Short mmCIF file of all heavy atoms in Angstrom, two decimals:
data_model
loop_
_atom_site.label_atom_id
_atom_site.label_comp_id
_atom_site.label_asym_id
_atom_site.label_seq_id
_atom_site.Cartn_x
_atom_site.Cartn_y
_atom_site.Cartn_z
N THR A 1350 0.09 -12.53 -11.09
CA THR A 1350 0.53 -11.30 -12.04
C THR A 1350 1.77 -10.53 -11.47
O THR A 1350 2.21 -9.66 -12.21
CB THR A 1350 -0.72 -10.31 -12.19
OG1 THR A 1350 -1.25 -10.00 -10.82
CG2 THR A 1350 -1.83 -11.03 -12.91
N ILE A 1351 2.03 -10.65 -10.22
CA ILE A 1351 3.33 -10.11 -9.69
C ILE A 1351 3.85 -11.23 -8.78
O ILE A 1351 3.05 -11.95 -8.07
CB ILE A 1351 3.07 -8.80 -8.93
CG1 ILE A 1351 4.44 -8.18 -8.59
CG2 ILE A 1351 2.26 -9.02 -7.69
CD1 ILE A 1351 4.36 -6.78 -8.18
N PHE A 1352 5.22 -11.39 -8.73
CA PHE A 1352 5.79 -12.57 -8.04
C PHE A 1352 7.10 -12.04 -7.35
O PHE A 1352 7.91 -11.50 -8.02
CB PHE A 1352 5.99 -13.71 -9.03
CG PHE A 1352 6.58 -15.00 -8.30
CD1 PHE A 1352 5.75 -15.69 -7.54
CD2 PHE A 1352 7.83 -15.27 -8.42
CE1 PHE A 1352 6.17 -16.90 -6.87
CE2 PHE A 1352 8.37 -16.46 -7.91
CZ PHE A 1352 7.52 -17.19 -7.04
N PHE A 1353 7.22 -12.36 -6.13
CA PHE A 1353 8.36 -12.10 -5.35
C PHE A 1353 8.85 -13.35 -4.73
O PHE A 1353 8.18 -14.22 -4.18
CB PHE A 1353 8.08 -11.09 -4.17
CG PHE A 1353 9.30 -10.80 -3.27
CD1 PHE A 1353 9.91 -9.74 -3.53
CD2 PHE A 1353 9.60 -11.71 -2.27
CE1 PHE A 1353 11.16 -9.46 -2.76
CE2 PHE A 1353 10.77 -11.37 -1.41
CZ PHE A 1353 11.42 -10.15 -1.71
N SER A 1354 10.22 -13.68 -4.86
CA SER A 1354 10.77 -14.83 -4.35
C SER A 1354 12.14 -14.62 -3.92
O SER A 1354 12.87 -13.57 -4.20
CB SER A 1354 10.63 -16.09 -5.24
OG SER A 1354 10.97 -17.24 -4.61
N VAL A 1355 12.79 -15.58 -3.23
CA VAL A 1355 14.17 -15.51 -2.80
C VAL A 1355 15.03 -16.06 -3.99
O VAL A 1355 14.63 -16.76 -4.83
CB VAL A 1355 14.33 -16.43 -1.46
CG1 VAL A 1355 13.71 -15.86 -0.40
CG2 VAL A 1355 13.85 -17.83 -1.82
N PRO A 1356 16.35 -15.81 -3.96
CA PRO A 1356 17.20 -16.17 -5.05
C PRO A 1356 17.19 -17.69 -5.25
O PRO A 1356 17.40 -18.04 -6.55
CB PRO A 1356 18.56 -15.66 -4.51
CG PRO A 1356 18.33 -14.52 -3.69
CD PRO A 1356 17.04 -14.82 -2.92
N ARG A 1357 17.12 -18.43 -4.29
CA ARG A 1357 17.12 -19.90 -4.54
C ARG A 1357 16.12 -20.35 -5.41
O ARG A 1357 16.36 -21.33 -6.29
CB ARG A 1357 17.06 -20.49 -3.11
CG ARG A 1357 17.44 -22.12 -3.22
CD ARG A 1357 18.85 -22.33 -3.55
NE ARG A 1357 19.23 -23.64 -3.75
CZ ARG A 1357 20.18 -24.23 -4.49
NH1 ARG A 1357 20.80 -23.38 -5.19
NH2 ARG A 1357 20.50 -25.42 -4.44
N PHE A 1358 14.94 -19.81 -5.47
CA PHE A 1358 13.95 -20.31 -6.39
C PHE A 1358 14.28 -19.98 -7.77
O PHE A 1358 14.19 -20.90 -8.67
CB PHE A 1358 12.69 -19.50 -6.13
CG PHE A 1358 11.54 -19.63 -7.22
CD1 PHE A 1358 10.80 -20.82 -7.31
CD2 PHE A 1358 11.47 -18.71 -8.24
CE1 PHE A 1358 9.79 -20.89 -8.31
CE2 PHE A 1358 10.49 -18.80 -9.20
CZ PHE A 1358 9.69 -19.98 -9.23
N TYR A 1359 14.85 -18.84 -8.19
CA TYR A 1359 15.22 -18.58 -9.51
C TYR A 1359 16.50 -19.43 -9.86
O TYR A 1359 16.67 -19.68 -11.04
CB TYR A 1359 15.59 -17.04 -9.62
CG TYR A 1359 14.39 -16.04 -9.39
CD1 TYR A 1359 14.22 -15.45 -8.26
CD2 TYR A 1359 13.39 -16.03 -10.38
CE1 TYR A 1359 13.09 -14.70 -8.14
CE2 TYR A 1359 12.25 -15.18 -10.23
CZ TYR A 1359 12.15 -14.62 -9.08
OH TYR A 1359 10.96 -13.78 -8.89
N GLU A 1360 17.34 -19.72 -9.00
CA GLU A 1360 18.46 -20.62 -9.19
C GLU A 1360 18.06 -21.94 -9.65
O GLU A 1360 18.45 -22.50 -10.67
CB GLU A 1360 19.35 -20.65 -7.94
CG GLU A 1360 20.13 -19.43 -7.61
CD GLU A 1360 20.69 -19.42 -6.22
OE1 GLU A 1360 20.62 -20.47 -5.53
OE2 GLU A 1360 21.26 -18.37 -5.76
N LYS A 1361 17.06 -22.52 -9.02
CA LYS A 1361 16.48 -23.76 -9.27
C LYS A 1361 15.77 -23.80 -10.56
O LYS A 1361 15.85 -24.85 -11.30
CB LYS A 1361 15.55 -24.30 -8.12
CG LYS A 1361 16.27 -24.71 -6.90
CD LYS A 1361 15.43 -25.32 -5.83
CE LYS A 1361 16.15 -25.84 -4.72
NZ LYS A 1361 15.28 -26.41 -3.57
N LEU A 1362 15.05 -22.70 -10.77
CA LEU A 1362 14.38 -22.64 -12.14
C LEU A 1362 15.29 -22.67 -13.26
O LEU A 1362 15.01 -23.22 -14.33
CB LEU A 1362 13.48 -21.35 -12.04
CG LEU A 1362 12.19 -21.34 -12.88
CD1 LEU A 1362 11.31 -22.35 -12.52
CD2 LEU A 1362 11.52 -19.86 -12.77
N TRP A 1363 16.38 -21.90 -13.08
CA TRP A 1363 17.34 -21.79 -14.17
C TRP A 1363 18.01 -23.23 -14.39
O TRP A 1363 18.33 -23.62 -15.54
CB TRP A 1363 18.40 -20.73 -13.92
CG TRP A 1363 19.32 -20.49 -15.13
CD1 TRP A 1363 20.54 -20.90 -15.30
CD2 TRP A 1363 19.00 -19.77 -16.17
NE1 TRP A 1363 21.01 -20.44 -16.44
CE2 TRP A 1363 19.95 -19.69 -17.15
CE3 TRP A 1363 17.73 -19.14 -16.68
CZ2 TRP A 1363 20.05 -19.04 -18.29
CZ3 TRP A 1363 17.71 -18.51 -17.92
CH2 TRP A 1363 18.83 -18.43 -18.72
N SER A 1364 18.33 -23.97 -13.33
CA SER A 1364 18.83 -25.21 -13.39
C SER A 1364 17.98 -26.21 -14.16
O SER A 1364 18.35 -27.02 -14.95
CB SER A 1364 19.17 -25.82 -11.97
OG SER A 1364 20.13 -25.04 -11.31
N GLN A 1365 16.62 -26.07 -13.84
CA GLN A 1365 15.68 -26.93 -14.69
C GLN A 1365 15.64 -26.66 -16.01
O GLN A 1365 15.57 -27.50 -16.92
CB GLN A 1365 14.22 -26.70 -14.05
CG GLN A 1365 14.05 -27.21 -12.67
CD GLN A 1365 12.68 -26.70 -12.05
OE1 GLN A 1365 11.90 -26.20 -12.73
NE2 GLN A 1365 12.55 -26.84 -10.76
N LEU A 1366 15.82 -25.31 -16.46
CA LEU A 1366 15.84 -24.99 -17.86
C LEU A 1366 17.23 -25.66 -18.45
O LEU A 1366 17.20 -26.32 -19.53
CB LEU A 1366 16.00 -23.58 -18.06
CG LEU A 1366 16.22 -22.94 -19.49
CD1 LEU A 1366 15.04 -23.42 -20.29
CD2 LEU A 1366 16.48 -21.51 -19.60
N LYS A 1367 18.30 -25.58 -17.84
CA LYS A 1367 19.51 -26.26 -18.30
C LYS A 1367 19.44 -27.70 -18.46
O LYS A 1367 20.16 -28.31 -19.29
CB LYS A 1367 20.67 -25.83 -17.37
CG LYS A 1367 21.03 -24.37 -17.52
CD LYS A 1367 22.41 -24.07 -16.85
CE LYS A 1367 22.43 -24.21 -15.45
NZ LYS A 1367 23.68 -23.71 -14.65
N ASP A 1368 18.62 -28.28 -17.64
CA ASP A 1368 18.44 -29.82 -17.68
C ASP A 1368 17.54 -30.31 -18.70
O ASP A 1368 17.48 -31.56 -18.98
CB ASP A 1368 17.83 -30.29 -16.26
CG ASP A 1368 18.87 -30.11 -15.16
OD1 ASP A 1368 20.03 -29.95 -15.53
OD2 ASP A 1368 18.56 -30.13 -14.02
N THR A 1369 16.71 -29.46 -19.38
CA THR A 1369 15.88 -29.90 -20.47
C THR A 1369 16.73 -30.00 -21.82
O THR A 1369 17.75 -29.18 -21.87
CB THR A 1369 14.73 -28.87 -20.67
OG1 THR A 1369 15.26 -27.65 -21.05
CG2 THR A 1369 13.90 -28.79 -19.37
N PHE A 1370 16.40 -30.73 -22.76
CA PHE A 1370 17.04 -30.91 -23.98
C PHE A 1370 17.13 -29.61 -24.67
O PHE A 1370 18.23 -29.02 -25.06
CB PHE A 1370 16.50 -31.97 -24.89
CG PHE A 1370 16.94 -32.07 -26.20
CD1 PHE A 1370 18.23 -32.66 -26.46
CD2 PHE A 1370 16.40 -31.41 -27.21
CE1 PHE A 1370 18.76 -32.76 -27.65
CE2 PHE A 1370 16.91 -31.57 -28.60
CZ PHE A 1370 18.12 -32.18 -28.76
N PHE A 1371 15.88 -28.93 -24.96
CA PHE A 1371 15.85 -27.71 -25.65
C PHE A 1371 16.62 -26.59 -25.01
O PHE A 1371 17.19 -25.75 -25.60
CB PHE A 1371 14.37 -27.39 -26.00
CG PHE A 1371 13.71 -28.23 -27.03
CD1 PHE A 1371 12.76 -29.15 -26.70
CD2 PHE A 1371 14.28 -28.17 -28.45
CE1 PHE A 1371 12.22 -30.06 -27.65
CE2 PHE A 1371 13.63 -29.09 -29.36
CZ PHE A 1371 12.65 -29.97 -29.04
N GLY A 1372 16.43 -26.53 -23.77
CA GLY A 1372 17.00 -25.46 -22.87
C GLY A 1372 18.55 -25.51 -23.01
O GLY A 1372 19.23 -24.55 -23.19
N ASN A 1373 18.95 -26.84 -22.84
CA ASN A 1373 20.42 -26.92 -22.86
C ASN A 1373 20.93 -26.69 -24.31
O ASN A 1373 22.10 -26.08 -24.30
CB ASN A 1373 20.76 -28.46 -22.44
CG ASN A 1373 22.26 -28.68 -22.33
OD1 ASN A 1373 22.92 -27.92 -21.51
ND2 ASN A 1373 22.78 -29.67 -23.08
N TYR A 1374 20.24 -27.04 -25.24
CA TYR A 1374 20.58 -26.83 -26.62
C TYR A 1374 20.71 -25.32 -26.97
O TYR A 1374 21.67 -24.89 -27.47
CB TYR A 1374 19.67 -27.55 -27.60
CG TYR A 1374 19.93 -27.18 -29.02
CD1 TYR A 1374 20.88 -27.81 -29.73
CD2 TYR A 1374 19.06 -26.36 -29.79
CE1 TYR A 1374 21.21 -27.51 -31.02
CE2 TYR A 1374 19.19 -26.06 -31.08
CZ TYR A 1374 20.27 -26.61 -31.73
OH TYR A 1374 20.52 -26.40 -33.09
N TYR A 1375 19.70 -24.54 -26.47
CA TYR A 1375 19.56 -23.28 -26.76
C TYR A 1375 20.71 -22.40 -26.04
O TYR A 1375 21.36 -21.60 -26.58
CB TYR A 1375 18.31 -22.65 -26.23
CG TYR A 1375 18.18 -21.09 -26.22
CD1 TYR A 1375 17.97 -20.35 -27.36
CD2 TYR A 1375 18.43 -20.34 -25.00
CE1 TYR A 1375 18.03 -18.87 -27.36
CE2 TYR A 1375 18.48 -19.09 -24.98
CZ TYR A 1375 18.10 -18.30 -26.20
OH TYR A 1375 18.17 -16.99 -26.19
N LEU A 1376 20.95 -22.81 -24.75
CA LEU A 1376 21.95 -22.13 -24.00
C LEU A 1376 23.37 -22.28 -24.52
O LEU A 1376 24.35 -21.42 -24.31
CB LEU A 1376 21.88 -22.46 -22.49
CG LEU A 1376 20.64 -22.02 -21.82
CD1 LEU A 1376 20.50 -22.66 -20.45
CD2 LEU A 1376 20.44 -20.49 -21.70
N HIS A 1377 23.63 -23.45 -25.21
CA HIS A 1377 24.91 -23.68 -25.74
C HIS A 1377 25.14 -23.22 -27.17
O HIS A 1377 26.18 -23.44 -27.81
CB HIS A 1377 25.27 -25.19 -25.65
CG HIS A 1377 25.56 -25.64 -24.18
ND1 HIS A 1377 24.65 -25.97 -23.29
CD2 HIS A 1377 26.83 -25.68 -23.57
CE1 HIS A 1377 25.16 -26.30 -22.05
NE2 HIS A 1377 26.47 -26.09 -22.29
N LEU A 1378 24.05 -22.73 -27.76
CA LEU A 1378 24.11 -22.15 -29.05
C LEU A 1378 25.06 -20.88 -29.08
O LEU A 1378 25.02 -20.07 -28.16
CB LEU A 1378 22.82 -21.78 -29.66
CG LEU A 1378 22.04 -22.97 -30.38
CD1 LEU A 1378 20.55 -22.33 -30.69
CD2 LEU A 1378 22.63 -23.50 -31.56
#
Side-chain angles (χ1 to χ4, degrees):
T1350 50
I1351 188 166
F1352 182 73
F1353 178 95
S1354 190
V1355 293
R1357 191 62 180 152
F1358 167 80
Y1359 294 105
E1360 292 164 4
K1361 288 185 176 181
L1362 206 59
W1363 192 255
S1364 296
Q1365 290 171 11
L1366 175 66
K1367 291 194 291 187
D1368 289 343
T1369 64
F1370 173 78
F1371 289 110
N1373 187 56
Y1374 174 74
Y1375 170 81
L1376 293 173
H1377 284 87
L1378 275 176

